[in-house]
Amino acid sequence: MAELRKTAIADVAAARISIRGYEITDIIGRVSFASAVYLILKGELPNEKQAVLFEAILVSVLDHGVSPPSTIAAVTVANTGAALNAAVAAGILAINKFHGGAIEDSMTAITEAATISDDPDEAASVFVSKSKALGRRIAGFGHRQHAADPRTDRLFELARELGLNGKCVLQAEAIEKALSESSGRLLPINADGAIAALLCDLEFPPTAANGIFMIARVPGLVAHVIEEQERNPPMRTVKMDEYEYDGPVNRQLDTA
Amino acid sequence: MAELRKTAIADVAAARISIRGYEITDIIGRVSFASAVYLILKGELPNEKQAVLFEAILVSVLDHGVSPPSTIAAVTVANTGAALNAAVAAGILAINKFHGGAIEDSMTAITEAATISDDPDEAASVFVSKSKALGRRIAGFGHRQHAADPRTDRLFELARELGLNGKCVLQAEAIEKALSESSGRLLPINADGAIAALLCDLEFPPTAANGIFMIARVPGLVAHVIEEQERNPPMRTVKMDEYEYDGPVNRQLDTA
Amino acid sequence: MAELRKTAIADVAAARISIRGYEITDIIGRVSFASAVYLILKGELPNEKQAVLFEAILVSVLDHGVSPPSTIAAVTVANTGAALNAAVAAGILAINKFHGGAIEDSMTAITEAATISDDPDEAASVFVSKSKALGRRIAGFGHRQHAADPRTDRLFELARELGLNGKCVLQAEAIEKALSESSGRLLPINADGAIAALLCDLEFPPTAANGIFMIARVPGLVAHVIEEQERNPPMRTVKMDEYEYDGPVNRQLDTA
Amino acid sequence: MAELRKTAIADVAAARISIRGYEITDIIGRVSFASAVYLILKGELPNEKQAVLFEAILVSVLDHGVSPPSTIAAVTVANTGAALNAAVAAGILAINKFHGGAIEDSMTAITEAATISDDPDEAASVFVSKSKALGRRIAGFGHRQHAADPRTDRLFELARELGLNGKCVLQAEAIEKALSESSGRLLPINADGAIAALLCDLEFPPTAANGIFMIARVPGLVAHVIEEQERNPPMRTVKMDEYEYDGPVNRQLDTA
């Protein structure tokens, strides 16, 4: 016997739609898109500071050029004449354990470390030793491309300004220190780890992490698919590992 | 011989990432997520009013409950034990010509109508007659579920407040009037048509429309997939056409 | 630095293609499709008896009507106007741990049991007790729909005729007996379990199991997608849990 | 109101499954997989000669190495840690208009040409002139990689041996001749065109063509995904346009 499906996300009737209890007509024009995303994922709207930080997190992973596997998959499929949605879906299929998924693993690691002791440094030291003994890499530290990921500093700076650098951020910073001491080389928090710490302090569950990464990255995938179909002939052989940027450079925000 | 790929979207190097010419560290914390989406799709940041309207458009299609085919596809796949990204990808594969795609078709129709005459009513009259003669339905008018879609009025009200109800909105309203006169029954602008008119006035190309719908809807898909996997046993037989909403009701925005 | 990709599957040059070392022109017309599938997956062609059994395995899971989640996902996406390949891809996304994936889990279980003792009954008894103690269900036994799955008997009968009911089939039959004695109710080997046992005796690795299920089921998905787009209007509300069969009935193989 | 879904593909009840009217237990072990595929797509079993040709068609496009976009997409997604089915789904998303889809376009072209005149040469001459005047390329003729595609000759030879080189094959050969005369260079029927002509003579509709290509290619995609995950570390930078074949070579069919 089929069960009646239950849902707590949206209520849709003839002349109204509500999201997590808010009428859609009440939030259109009053709540930012990122805050509405926060609402649908957490069930609650963010306060003003949380909203600013969540916008920043989404912006920080909006795009990473042509080299991530999600972009390669989307562009490869786009070049065969696929519809926009099919090419974007192929890109999303690449947002997995080893690409994007590090945020979830890093949230789990930071959360686990934080339960060891109330002192972040002590917790980090125990956690790093234990991981080393088990031969486990700690997700969210070190980066293939950016010696020091510029997004990490900016996100943490913003969190401090907003007073939102909570227990998880402190724990992540303590892990970075312990890891570097233990390994003798710099293993800085990367963007995955920084976002993990911030989402953890915003009290998102680790299971939402990959979803948040996807939400942030889909606009980048859409842009790459449209560009591929506008600029290139079908079925070309694409050199995936090299590219030339030919867009605008050195633009400044107009902050008058 | 493989060609060097060219891109104007992002420039990524060892210690920096720029999006359409803006350093990522400059826009994190200063530009909203929706404005960054606008930037990556159009190549330019929105002004303040355009930003408000674009946030509203994205919020308006964030979710539509459990009945749209994209949600059914995502939830069906989620229930087989799929990873979050695979279930979301299945949902995106349903955002096509007949679901979401109406925004693109409606943008094309409104744009085509607007070229007929400088007088929107005359243009609408000619366009509606021509479509009738050709047996073509005009996308963006009428809705299967909402007699009067509450989102349409709210979006157009907001556009008027912001002074962003331009040529395309006027043209869409004229088509609504001409259609209702011609058919003898109410065929109101639906949410697809309203969004089409607004995106047209924001000068997005029709090819971006389905992408914008996907960007807006992915958060809803993520929420439904997480809910399915948290609340339901695998391989249940899901009654897709009935559901019970059991979330919070009648919540008010805190506008103190 | 990018690595040179190595592959042992196909060698493709200007005027020739070889698959696992065989020229494509040599095998076209001489090797059946199922045998070529066996070759590309295992690296070796089957002998005559293995070929017959592998054909039978693929035929046995060709289709299961409109109710499996893979068909629901494919048909749902097809009904939104998707291209054939996008709808089939959505169906494939539902072939997971809980749908199709049971073959892999069952292969792992049968293999694990077989290592316990050279006596299948003793091995089964220990394995069933251990699984019970751990609260683990043994994949491949019992079926939601078919009290006795007609495909199981037929596949095992054929394997016996071919002399291909090896160690894994005996082990699976012993587990069935031990399970039924232990639980006091009939938990027969289902089609997943039967196929698992046979693939195990054919020495396929468990990691190939879901791939073989997909290969067998894609034709069914293609047929359902084409039927959906030929017979039904777009964006209908599909009752997924009920259907009427209106095709031919009671046809007999012409074995003159 | 939801409609009752109708289907003519499979009838599934408590203790039986039938496909296009044949009990599954009757066809297991008696009908080859390729013949069962033919049955589920066309509604009828092939005769003996049709069965041989259909096996050959499927074998001919089983795999094309690492360079086709479907393989690139599947391998790229596999390398991010995706499940087998998700990686295969990404590959299928690349089987589109410009990759695989040429078979459908070629079937349409051959069919259209054949309606012009009962004399294939006259029909070809008119059709080629018309296509040239319209600036339309005729799908299925010429190939990016193989000067003379070895599969074409073999498939046509087999069709002649079986007496299955019907009207569509003759028409395709006439188009090849007319095209080469008209353009002054060799534009041989490629594998897409050959398969198109043969499927046309087997009376498959053009809409099934891409489905048949997918059915044939999924085993190749499965093999590439398994190989990628077994042989390579995750998140490597894959050079897509170069590879080294390191499998067995020069193997001969054992035709004792």
Side-chain angles (χ1 to χ4, degrees), chain B:
Chain B
M1 180 58 204
E3 299 165 39
L4 195 61
R5 183 205 292 234
K6 288 184 186 173
T7 183
I9 297 170
D11 195 15
V12 177
R16 48 177 290 274
I17 299 167
S18 71
I19 307 284
R20 300 284 189 190
Y22 292 99
E23 292 298 306
I24 194 88
T25 46
D26 274 3
I27 61 174
I28 290 174
R30 295 197 185 90
V31 162
S32 81
F33 177 54
S35 291
V37 170
Y38 189 105
L39 169 65
I40 204 165
L41 294 182
K42 285 204 60 177
E44 301 295 330
L45 282 164
N47 66 30
E48 212 173 308
K49 290 179 173 179
Q50 290 165 335
V52 171
L53 186 60
F54 193 60
E55 301 271 7
I57 290 169
L58 294 174
V59 169
S60 73
V61 286
L62 179 68
D63 197 60
H64 204 270
V66 299
S67 64
S70 52
T71 313
I72 293 174
V75 164
T76 299
V77 168
N79 190 249
T80 64
L84 175 56
N85 69 326
V88 170
I92 283 184
L93 289 173
I95 298 180
N96 273 311
K97 185 170 174 49
F98 299 114
H99 169 41
I103 302 175
E104 181 171 344
D105 291 342
S106 188
M107 282 180 83
T108 306
I110 293 166
T111 308
E112 191 187 327
T115 61
I116 294 173
S117 160
D118 285 343
D119 174 15
D121 288 321
E122 191 187 316
S125 170
V126 172
F127 186 69
V128 166
S129 299
K130 192 177 129 196
S131 301
K132 205 174 177 179
L134 294 168
R136 289 198 318 201
R137 214 181 72 75
I138 303 174
F141 298 83
H143 192 282
R144 69 191 60 238
Q145 257 184 296
H146 301 279
D149 194 308
R151 298 171 296 179
T152 309
D153 289 348
R154 179 67 189 112
L155 284 170
F156 277 8
E157 174 189 57
L158 184 67
R160 276 192 302 273
E161 285 168 20
L162 295 163
L164 289 171
N165 58 332
K167 190 177 172 180
C168 299
V169 167
L170 298 181
Q171 187 59 66
E173 291 175 329
I175 292 172
E176 178 187 82
K177 205 169 59 175
L179 259 180
S180 301
E181 281 164 10
S182 160
S183 70
R185 61 202 176 88
L186 202 59
L187 281 170
I189 303 175
N190 57 33
D192 290 333
I195 291 166
L198 297 172
L199 290 178
C200 174
D201 278 332
L202 289 174
E203 295 178 13
F204 277 96
T207 47
N210 216 25
I212 292 169
F213 182 77
M214 275 183 255
I215 290 164
R217 184 55 59 89
V218 164
L221 295 175
V222 169
H224 284 286
V225 170
I226 291 175
E227 184 184 67
E228 176 65 28
Q229 296 190 329
E230 279 179 1
R231 298 186 68 169
N232 295 307
M235 292 300 282
R236 66 188 181 120
T237 305
V238 186
K239 263 193 134 44
M240 296 296 174
D241 48 339
E242 291 176 28
Y243 74 98
E244 179 192 333
Y245 176 77
D246 64 355
V249 293
N250 289 331
R251 298 167 86 185
Q252 305 298 321
L253 276 186
D254 188 30
T255 49

Side-chain angles (χ1 to χ4, degrees), chain A residues 205-223:
Chain A
T207 47
N210 216 24
I212 292 169
F213 183 77
M214 273 183 258
I215 291 164
R217 184 55 58 88
V218 164
L221 295 175
V222 169

Side-chain angles (χ1 to χ4, degrees), chain D residues 25-43:
Chain D
T25 46
D26 274 2
I27 61 174
I28 290 174
R30 295 196 186 89
V31 162
S32 80
F33 177 54
S35 291
V37 170
Y38 189 105
L39 170 65
I40 204 166
L41 293 182
K42 282 203 65 175

Side-chain angles (χ1 to χ4, degrees), chain A residues 158-178:
Chain A
L158 184 68
R160 276 192 302 272
E161 285 169 19
L162 295 163
L164 288 172
N165 56 332
K167 190 178 171 179
C168 300
V169 167
L170 298 180
Q171 188 58 66
E173 291 175 329
I175 292 172
E176 178 186 80
K177 205 169 59 175

Side-chain angles (χ1 to χ4, degrees), chain A residues 38 42 50 107 168 197-206:
Chain A
Y38 188 106
K42 285 204 62 176
Q50 290 166 335
M107 283 181 82
C168 300
L198 297 172
L199 291 177
C200 173
D201 279 332
L202 289 174
E203 295 178 13
F204 278 94

